[in-house]
Amino acid sequence: MIIGIGVDVVEVSRFGDQLGRAPGLRERLFTDAERGLPLRSLAARFAAKEAVAKALGAPAGMSWQHCEIVVDASGAPRVAVTGTVEAVAERRGVAYWHLSLSHDGDVATAMVVAEGRS
């Protein structure tokens, strides 16, 4: 059963400008493991985090640090949630996350499906 879906698009250059203007933004939005990635990858991960929030109904009080985009053994991206995001996901009945990331030119896109148990 589908609990929610979320899609987000980020203009990579504009996102880079925002990170440059607000030095603390990188630390607020990304985990230690994510922060050193290239700008294009950070933009896609931010889009994915936004898509996760949308799939959950964008409730207040969730921490960006509690949603991390990691790669599995095959190199595919996946959503890993902890803390505030995990608590909302559990309340909503999310058992599985499906994530697709895409880059084209100066645009990074993410689509997330939050799925419950059948």
Side-chain angles (χ1 to χ4, degrees):
M1 170 175 66
I2 303 298
I3 304 293
I5 61 169
V7 176
D8 198 65
V9 177
V10 173
E11 186 178 347
V12 177
S13 59
R14 184 171 168 227
F15 185 69
D17 291 344
Q18 290 172 331
L19 289 176
R21 281 193 305 272
L25 189 59
R26 186 180 299 253
E27 285 72 32
R28 188 167 54 94
L29 296 177
F30 300 105
T31 65
D32 289 340
E34 294 171 318
R35 284 186 203 130
L37 295 170
L39 177 60
R40 198 168 171 206
S41 295
L42 289 177
R45 279 164 172 74
F46 179 70
K49 291 175 185 221
E50 283 278 345
V52 166
K54 290 173 183 178
L56 291 174
M62 290 193 311
S63 169
W64 294 107
Q65 294 287 320
H66 296 163
C67 179
E68 185 174 19
I69 309 307
V70 298
V71 293
D72 65 19
S74 70
R78 69 177 182 81
V79 175
V81 297
T82 59
T84 57
V85 180
E86 182 178 36
V88 172
E90 285 178 1
R91 279 196 308 273
R92 299 275 326 267
V94 177
Y96 309 102
W97 294 100
H98 304 276
L99 170 63
S100 180
L101 300 177
S102 184
H103 304 86
D104 186 19
D106 196 39
V107 175
T109 305
M111 194 229 178
V112 169
V113 176
E115 181 183 357
R117 298 200 190 282
S118 304

